[in-house]
Amino acid sequence: MDFEEFLVKVGKNIQKVRKEKGLTQENMDEGDYAVPVRTLQDIEAGRANFTANSIFKLSKRLKVKPKDLLDI
């Protein structure tokens, strides 16, 4: 697996977890640990080289462990 494929798989995993929690991309841009919609769109599409801060915020917002988002 190359890096681009890794980004796509992690992005799809984040999208899957978000949808399982019943949250929209817009919901993720609200409250504590908000992640901007555009940033989330880029991460979920595999276009963004996400940061540790992004994974931390997403895991807190989704109420999962960071490893759950990276487990592909």
Side-chain angles (χ1 to χ4, degrees):
M1 168 181 350
D2 64 11
F3 184 65
E4 287 77 23
E5 186 178 354
F6 171 75
L7 290 178
V8 169
K9 286 186 176 191
V10 170
K12 295 293 179 200
N13 192 43
I14 290 169
Q15 182 180 51
K16 179 178 141 261
V17 172
R18 175 180 58 76
K19 287 181 176 182
E20 286 172 354
K21 301 279 184 174
L23 296 169
T24 66
Q25 290 177 332
E26 290 77 19
N27 295 143
M28 299 294 289
D29 197 6
E30 302 168 353
D32 294 338
Y33 306 109
V35 176
V37 172
R38 185 68 187 152
T39 299
L40 184 58
Q41 289 171 338
D42 287 344
I43 291 171
E44 288 185 355
R47 293 187 302 260
N49 184 1
F50 50 81
T51 64
N53 186 44
S54 295
I55 293 296
F56 175 78
K57 285 181 176 181
L58 287 167
S59 70
K60 289 294 190 181
R61 188 73 179 89
L62 293 169
K63 298 181 176 128
V64 298
K65 294 179 180 178
K67 72 178 185 90
D68 297 333
L69 300 178
L70 298 171
D71 187 18
I72 54 168

